C-alpha cells in the first residue's frame, strides 16, 4: 500500500471525531420542498472492528506532523479486530535527519502511543514543533522520544536528546525555563539549580554538546535537565 501527503495531526483529529463504536452511512430522500429526510431506521452501520489488516507493507512517500516533515517511510502495518493499529519502521527521513518509529493506537478508545528514535535531525524544527522553542537552538540532534496522547490531545511522555555543534539563545531559553517553572507546584524540587547555571554559562551561545532529559505530563514539562559543554 502506497500513500502520499499524510497529515498525522489531521488523522488524529479525524479519528477522535468518529463515533467510537460505529460509523453510520445515512441515505436521504429529497422531498419536493428541497428538505432532506431520513425515514430509514434500519440504516446499516459499519463497525471499524470488521476492518482487519494483516501483514501489510505501508509506503508513505511524504507526510507531516505540524511543522515536522517526513518521507520515504517503509513500514509494517496491521489493524486487528479490536481496532488496535500497530506500525513499525526501522528507518525513514524526518526533519532533515533520519528516524525509526513504533506506533500503537487503540482507535476505539482513542489512545495513541509513539516511540521515535531520531538521528541527526534539525533541532530547531523539533524544538519549535514539540516545545514551542522557536529559533532558540540549532544543531544536529539525536535521541529518543516516547509520547502518548488521547482525545484530549494532551501529550505525556519523555524526550531524551543530545545536540552537537550548535548554538543556543541563552536569554530566550532561560526565559522559557522560567515560564515552565511558574507552572510547577514545587519548582525548586523539580528543576535543578545547575540547569540555570549551565544555560547561562554557555559561551557566546555556542556549544559542542548539549544533553537533555524532559518529562511531560498533560502538555506540561514536569522535569527539565539540560547540561552543556
Amino acid at each position: 500500500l502506497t500513500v502520499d501527503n499524510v497529515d498525522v495531526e489531521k488523522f488524529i483529529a479525524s479519528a477522535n471525531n468518529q463515533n467510537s463504536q460505529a460509523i453510520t452511512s445515512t441515505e436521504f430522500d429529497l422531498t419536493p420542498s428541497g428538505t432532506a429526510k431520513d425515514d430509514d431506521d434500519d440504516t446499516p452501520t459499519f463497525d471499524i472492528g470488521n476492518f482487519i489488516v494483516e501483514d501489510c507493507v505501508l509506503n508513505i512517500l511524504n507526510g507531516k506532523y505540524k511543522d515536522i516533515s517526513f518521507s520515504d517511510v517503509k513500514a509494517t502495518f496491521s489493524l486487528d479486530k479490536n481496532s488496535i493499529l500497530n506500525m513499525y519502521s526501522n528507518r525513514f527521513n524526518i526533519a532533515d535527519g533520519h528516524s525509526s518509529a513504533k506506533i500503537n493506537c487503540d482507535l476505539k478508545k482513542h489512545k495513541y502511543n509513539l516511540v521515535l528514535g531520531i538521528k541527526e535531525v534539525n533541532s530547531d524544527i523539533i524544538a519549535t514543533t514539540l516545545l514551542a522553542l522557536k529559533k532558540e537552538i540549532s544543531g544536529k540532534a539525536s535521541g529518543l522520544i516516547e509520547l502518548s496522547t488521547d482525545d484530549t490531545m494532551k501529550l505525556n511522555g519523555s524526550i531524551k536528546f543530545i545536540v552537537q555543534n550548535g548554538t543556543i539563545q541563552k536569554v530566550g531559553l532561560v526565559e522559557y525555563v522560567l515560564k515552565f517553572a511558574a507552572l510547577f507546584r514545587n519548582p525548586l524540587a523539580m528543576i535543578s539549580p545547575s540547569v540555570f547555571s549551565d544555560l547561562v554559562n554557555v559561551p557566546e551561545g555556542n556549544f559542542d554538546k548539549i544533553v537533555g532529559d524532559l518529562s511531560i505530563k498533560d502538555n506540561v514539562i514536569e522535569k527539565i535537565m539540560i547540561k552543556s559543554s
Side-chain angles (χ1 to χ4, degrees), residues 24-42:
T24 303
S25 175
T26 307
E27 295 180 358
F28 292 97
D29 291 327
L30 198 63
T31 65
S33 63
T35 58
K37 290 180 59 180
D38 179 16
D39 294 326
D40 185 2
D41 293 331
D42 299 319

Side-chain angles (χ1 to χ4, degrees), residues 48-104:
I48 194 171
N50 293 328
F51 186 65
I52 298 174
V53 178
E54 295 181 346
D55 299 325
C56 176
V57 177
L58 177 65
N59 296 314
I60 302 177
L61 303 181
N62 294 281
K64 67 175 183 176
Y65 174 71
K66 296 184 178 180
D67 292 328
I68 299 176
S69 297
F70 55 89
S71 64
D72 196 25
V73 180
K74 294 180 175 61
T76 58
F77 173 85
S78 66
L79 179 64
D80 67 18
K81 63 181 181 180
N82 297 314
S83 301
I84 305 298
L85 182 151
N86 285 291
M87 186 168 71
Y88 172 75
S89 176
N90 62 0
R91 183 180 174 88
F92 57 92
N93 302 321
I94 185 170
D96 301 333
H98 302 287
S99 180
S100 61
K102 183 178 181 180
I103 299 171
N104 173 266

Side-chain angles (χ1 to χ4, degrees), residues 1 17 20 26 35 41-42 52-53 65 80 82 84 91 95 107 109 118 140 148 155 161 174 182-183 189 197 220 227:
L1 175 64
N17 288 332
S20 62
T26 307
T35 58
D41 293 331
D42 299 319
I52 298 174
V53 178
Y65 174 71
D80 67 18
N82 297 314
I84 305 298
R91 183 180 174 88
L107 299 182
K109 296 181 179 179
I118 57 174
K140 292 294 185 178
S148 63
L155 291 178
F161 64 89
V174 170
L183 298 175
S197 61
V220 175
K227 295 184 178 181

Side-chain angles (χ1 to χ4, degrees), residues 116-137:
L116 185 70
I118 57 174
K119 182 178 180 180
E120 298 183 345
V121 301
N122 186 315
S123 59
D124 176 48
I125 295 175
I126 300 297
T128 297
T129 302
L130 298 182
L131 303 176
L133 300 177
K134 187 174 183 180
K135 303 298 181 184
E136 297 294 341
I137 188 170

Side-chain angles (χ1 to χ4, degrees), residues 124-193:
D124 176 48
I125 295 175
I126 300 297
T128 297
T129 302
L130 298 182
L131 303 176
L133 300 177
K134 187 174 183 180
K135 303 298 181 184
E136 297 294 341
I137 188 170
S138 69
K140 292 294 185 178
S142 300
L144 181 66
I145 300 173
E146 298 182 84
L147 297 174
S148 63
T149 188
D150 52 25
D151 49 13
T152 67
M153 300 301 288
K154 292 181 178 180
L155 291 178
N156 292 275
S158 64
I159 300 174
K160 298 179 181 180
F161 64 89
I162 298 176
V163 186
Q164 297 182 334
N165 301 319
T167 60
I168 191 169
Q169 301 298 323
K170 295 177 292 184
V171 176
L173 193 51
V174 170
E175 179 183 354
Y176 275 108
V177 174
L178 291 172
K179 287 180 180 179
F180 289 140
L183 298 175
F184 302 151
R185 294 179 180 177
N186 188 355
L188 295 179
M190 295 185 179
I191 299 181
S192 168

